[in-house]
Amino acid sequence: MAAYAYWEHVWRSGAGQAWARPDRWVVDELALVRSQGARSTLDLGCGLGRHAVLLAEQGFRSHAADRAGAAVAATRDAARRHGVDVPVVQADMAALPYGQESFDFVLAFNVCYHTDRRGLRRTISEVRRVLRPGGLYAVTMLSKRNAEYGRGNEISADTFCQPDAPDDKVHPHLYANRADLVEFHDGFRLLQARDAEQSTPGSFHWQCLFQLGST
Ligand SMILES: C[S@@+](CC[C@H](N)C(=O)[O-])C[C@H]1O[C@@H](n2cnc3c(N)ncnc32)[C@H](O)[C@@H]1O
């Protein structure tokens, strides 16, 4: 099962309410994003739209994309309820329907690791294309310190599936260390990387902020 199909089911069932409130790290990063003069933003893999709405409320020209139709509908609905304008498209992270240098800031929270190394490289190349030179990219990636690293079938390098898992581990998850992050993000400068637990013990994810080089 592809990751977006799993999430489609979660969003449709109404079981994803833990994803309704903005994440603290994202909230805290916005001062820096603003200080860099960012105006146009993309929430890639927007889910229920919590961060896309936050960005719009904070005065950014906020756009959102997700491969799951239910996420697109939920984000449109959230924007309507909050009285903000957020153009939302249904799109795959590896094939974004935006022109070159469309955004000053791209956010991808718990999205880009739902693939293998090849898929991740395709996504990063799309982020590189749609970001303006000097633009910022905030992304979370699964850490090799995460308790799930190494569990299940290794379907390709550092990419695991757990076919019998009761949660989203049924689809591919790619894990990285700091050196991997730097290698994947060719053309970007790593400004911040913090390996921190999310909601449960052992749930280590990298919180990364990259800046696209100006060539
Ligand atoms: C864990 S949820 C995170 C949602 C949101 N970023 C948030 O922080 O609330 C992962 C999201 O990524 C989306 N996703 C998964 N694979 C995708 C793909 N190939 N292209 C675009 N979105 C994808 C899913 O549909 C889901 O909405």
Side-chain angles (χ1 to χ4, degrees):
M1 178 196 277
Y4 68 82
Y6 173 89
W7 286 101
E8 176 84 51
H9 176 72
V10 172
W11 303 141
R12 265 184 207 288
S13 70
Q17 286 316 303
W19 298 86
R21 285 185 152 190
D23 179 81
R24 187 76 249 163
W25 171 65
V26 175
V27 174
D28 290 346
E29 289 300 304
L30 294 190
L32 175 62
V33 171
R34 188 188 307 284
S35 76
Q36 296 283 310
R39 293 182 55 76
S40 57
T41 65
L42 173 64
D43 183 6
L44 178 56
C46 55
L48 298 178
R50 57 182 180 157
H51 298 129
V53 166
L54 171 73
L55 284 157
E57 285 180 331
Q58 298 236 345
F60 295 99
R61 284 200 306 270
S62 171
H63 292 249
D66 201 292
R67 179 71 179 77
V72 171
T75 299
R76 285 188 182 136
D77 189 48
R80 202 174 306 120
R81 279 186 280 110
H82 285 79
V84 290
D85 180 35
V86 179
V88 193
V89 297
Q90 183 168 10
D92 195 280
M93 60 185 170
L96 297 175
Y98 304 105
Q100 265 178 261
E101 302 182 18
S102 295
F103 301 105
D104 303 311
F105 174 58
V106 175
L107 168 69
F109 190 98
N110 286 18
V111 178
C112 295
Y113 53 71
H114 291 118
T115 184
D116 57 15
R117 285 177 173 234
R118 223 166 120 206
L120 177 66
R121 286 187 201 283
R122 278 203 298 267
T123 296
I124 293 171
S125 134
E126 280 296 80
V127 172
R128 200 182 286 118
R129 184 180 66 76
V130 303
L131 252 190
R132 70 159 170 81
L136 296 174
Y137 175 41
V139 57
T140 59
M141 289 291 297
L142 280 168
S143 164
K144 287 183 179 174
R145 288 172 72 206
N146 191 294
E148 300 295 330
Y149 176 57
R151 292 195 182 154
N153 305 327
E154 187 169 20
I155 58 164
S156 82
D158 293 325
T159 308
F160 295 86
C161 274
Q162 300 178 34
D164 300 323
D167 56 17
D168 74 326
K169 301 300 178 305
V170 289
H171 60 249
H173 282 68
L174 170 62
Y175 297 77
N177 60 25
R178 191 187 175 97
D180 298 326
L181 294 175
V182 171
E183 195 215 311
F184 292 141
H185 292 84
D186 185 35
F188 288 86
R189 191 156 66 96
L190 183 56
L191 302 182
Q192 302 168 7
R194 186 163 163 259
D195 191 1
E197 284 169 313
Q198 285 192 347
S199 51
T200 53
S203 62
F204 287 95
H205 286 65
W206 290 101
Q207 298 168 334
C208 304
L209 186 67
F210 289 96
Q211 184 164 38
L212 186 60
S214 328
T215 46

